[in-house]
């Protein structure tokens, strides 16, 4: 696809996060919305009208088979990701798939192998990694401004009262707060340490149907201590703290971060704010567009190995849930 100015995006599903992604495409310089698919044609047409998308499809395969689509964004529930990504790759489409990319490490490995076999781009939509504030925090760490890394603390939780019929609590749809939100604290820890966690300790609470609704994780990542949490029971602070021997970085609402601050003891010595007008999905989308145009199979910021590792970590954590 070299020398092509814009990649043409196909959107799979019309839910909330797909709408947020499409809203931010207005801020993307190398891509355009070209098609949307839903289970019901009426939903696809309504979505297409809202975002000025040329084509609307009933069923995902019709979009995958459209030769004018370059890359698809998959925003279906977690448990459908493997099938959707596989079908898109088999149809010759590059893929950006919402997190978690699959619901098992085995599925993740299979999709990675298929993408390499087909020579097609595949990436988990870990948009947080592409946010300028997260990139700035990483730069500060690499410059040694907080000294040797000692602790990472991160949590992500919002109250979601239990209802057995909710997708987020449905075991058949891979429900539970770990895959829904807990992947964010795990991912931010991995981004700053790049070392698999060990010495894992987990405190969990299960909803009446056995799906987890509160999880606290203590672990080591090399010499770095991790304190991570996720919850459907309550709103957590939703900040990340990257703590070194000389100072620390505070990142409010780190999963969608637009700012970060650098502290030495109690004094704020540096601050960054991206002043963006978008939600932040545009940074990820533009990076994907560039990778697709350059015929890459993986992106260096979210390689397949990181997605597989996050799957393995969640599998290990689930095995330690309180019965």
């Amino acid at each position: 696809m070299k020398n092509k100015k814009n990649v043409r995006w196909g959107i799979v599903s019309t839910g909330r996060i797909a709408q947020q992604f499409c809203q931010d495409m207005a801020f993307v310089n190398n891509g355009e919305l070209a098609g949307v698919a839903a289970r019901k044609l009426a939903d696809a047409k309504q979505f297409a009208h809202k975002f000025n998308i040329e084509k609307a499809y009933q069923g995902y395969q019709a979009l995958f088979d459209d030769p004018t689509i370059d890359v698809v964004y998959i925003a279906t529930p977690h448990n459908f990701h493997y099938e959707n990504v596989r079908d898109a790759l088999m149809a010759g489409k590059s893929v950006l798939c919402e997190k978690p990319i699959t619901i098992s490490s085995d599925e993740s490995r299979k999709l990675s192998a298929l993408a390499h076999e087909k020579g097609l781009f595949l990436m988990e939509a870990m948009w947080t990694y592409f946010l300028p504030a997260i990139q700035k925090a990483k730069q500060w760490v690499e410059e040694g401004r907080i000294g040797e890394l000692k602790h990472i603390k991160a949590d992500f939780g919002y109250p979601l009262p239990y209802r057995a019929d909710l997708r987020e609590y449905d075991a058949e749809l891979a429900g539970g707060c770990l895959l829904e939100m807990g992947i964010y604290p795990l991912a931010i820890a991995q981004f700053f340490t790049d070392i698999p966690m060990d010495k894992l300790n987990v405190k969990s609470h299960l909803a009446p149907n056995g799906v987890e609704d509160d999880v606290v994780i203590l672990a080591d990542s090399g010499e770095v201590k991790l304190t991570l949490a996720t919850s459907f029971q309550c709103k957590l602070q939703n900040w990340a703290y990257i703590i070194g021997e000389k100072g620390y970085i505070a990142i409010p609402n780190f999963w969608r971060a637009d700012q970060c601050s650098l502290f030495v003891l109690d004094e704020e010595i540096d601050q960054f704010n991206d002043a963006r007008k978008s939600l932040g999905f545009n940074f990820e989308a533009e990076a994907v567009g560039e990778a697709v145009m350059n015929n890459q199979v993986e992106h260096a910021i979210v390689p397949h190995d990181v997605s597989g590792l996050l799957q393995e970590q969640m599998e290990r954590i689930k095995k330690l849930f309180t019965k």
Side-chain angles (χ1 to χ4, degrees):
M1 283 192 63
K2 288 185 178 179
N3 302 319
K4 189 170 182 177
K5 291 182 179 179
N6 273 346
V7 295
R8 290 171 57 82
W9 285 85
I11 307 300
V12 174
S13 186
T14 57
R16 176 183 53 85
I17 198 162
Q19 296 201 35
Q20 292 175 333
F21 183 86
C22 289
Q23 179 181 327
D24 271 8
M25 283 299 295
F27 300 92
V28 174
N29 294 321
N30 63 2
E32 59 186 290
L33 296 170
V36 58
R39 287 174 296 177
K40 297 178 181 178
L41 184 58
D43 291 343
K45 285 184 174 180
Q46 183 180 20
F47 192 96
H49 177 74
K50 180 175 182 178
F51 293 102
N52 195 28
I53 299 173
E54 179 184 351
K55 299 177 181 178
Y57 298 96
Q58 180 173 8
Y60 307 144
Q61 193 62 46
L63 184 146
F64 298 153
D65 290 338
D66 183 340
T68 70
I69 301 292
D70 300 313
V71 56
V72 297
Y73 170 65
I74 291 173
T76 52
H78 319 321
N79 59 305
F80 298 118
H81 287 178
Y82 175 78
E83 176 186 350
N84 296 155
V85 174
R86 181 199 63 201
D87 291 349
L89 291 171
M90 291 300 294
K93 297 293 182 282
S94 291
V95 178
L96 173 66
C97 181
E98 260 313 321
K99 79 204 77 57
I101 190 168
T102 56
I103 58 173
S104 75
S105 57
D106 180 60
E107 287 182 348
S108 180
R109 283 190 294 268
K110 287 178 178 176
L111 292 180
S112 175
L114 181 59
H116 278 273
E117 177 189 328
K118 298 291 185 181
L120 294 165
F121 181 82
L122 171 64
M123 192 183 86
E124 182 173 26
M126 193 57 68
W127 68 306
T128 302
Y129 283 8
F130 294 89
L131 297 174
I134 299 299
Q135 290 288 324
K136 175 58 71 172
K138 185 75 170 287
Q139 178 187 332
W140 285 342
V141 172
E142 291 173 347
E143 290 172 350
R145 298 190 66 184
I146 64 170
E148 184 180 347
L149 198 56
K150 294 295 183 181
H151 286 262
I152 294 176
K153 298 182 178 182
D155 54 37
F156 186 34
Y158 275 96
L160 186 65
Y162 174 72
R163 271 193 14 229
D165 61 329
L166 285 178
R167 177 192 66 80
E168 291 86 352
Y169 278 103
D170 191 335
E172 295 299 315
L173 297 179
C177 61
L178 181 63
L179 269 68
E180 187 70 24
M181 294 188 293
I183 189 170
Y184 279 107
L186 290 170
I188 205 71
Q190 175 63 27
F191 187 69
F192 283 96
T193 64
D194 200 30
I195 300 173
M197 63 169 59
D198 61 7
K199 299 180 181 176
L200 191 60
N201 288 278
V202 175
K203 289 284 188 180
S204 63
H205 181 273
L206 304 183
N209 67 347
V211 169
E212 82 280 358
D213 60 8
D214 195 88
V215 182
V216 177
I217 302 158
L218 300 175
D220 291 351
S221 184
E223 298 299 315
V224 181
K225 305 296 184 186
L226 308 179
T227 308
L228 313 173
T230 186
S231 185
F232 283 160
Q233 291 190 349
C234 54
K235 184 188 183 300
L236 300 176
Q237 187 182 22
N238 299 342
W239 287 40
Y241 294 91
I242 315 303
I243 304 167
E245 58 186 350
K246 297 195 301 185
Y248 71 90
I249 300 166
I251 312 174
N253 296 314
F254 74 94
W255 55 282
R256 63 181 182 195
D258 61 5
Q259 61 184 292
C260 57
S261 297
L262 177 61
F263 290 82
V264 171
L265 294 180
D266 296 322
E267 182 184 1
E268 184 181 28
I269 64 168
D270 209 343
Q271 202 269 348
F272 173 85
N273 191 313
D274 68 18
R276 68 176 185 253
K277 295 180 180 179
S278 68
L279 296 170
F281 293 95
N282 52 301
F283 302 108
E284 165 189 72
E286 200 157 290
V288 170
E290 183 178 349
V292 170
M293 286 189 286
N294 289 321
N295 299 312
Q296 294 174 226
V297 176
E298 302 188 41
H299 199 288
I301 292 180
V302 193
H304 297 177
D305 284 350
V306 166
S307 295
L309 179 60
L310 292 172
Q311 287 292 324
E312 291 170 5
Q313 289 177 354
M314 289 189 290
E315 287 171 344
R316 290 172 60 201
I317 291 165
K318 282 192 167 190
K319 287 179 180 178
L320 296 176
F321 282 172
T322 305
K323 300 300 183 184

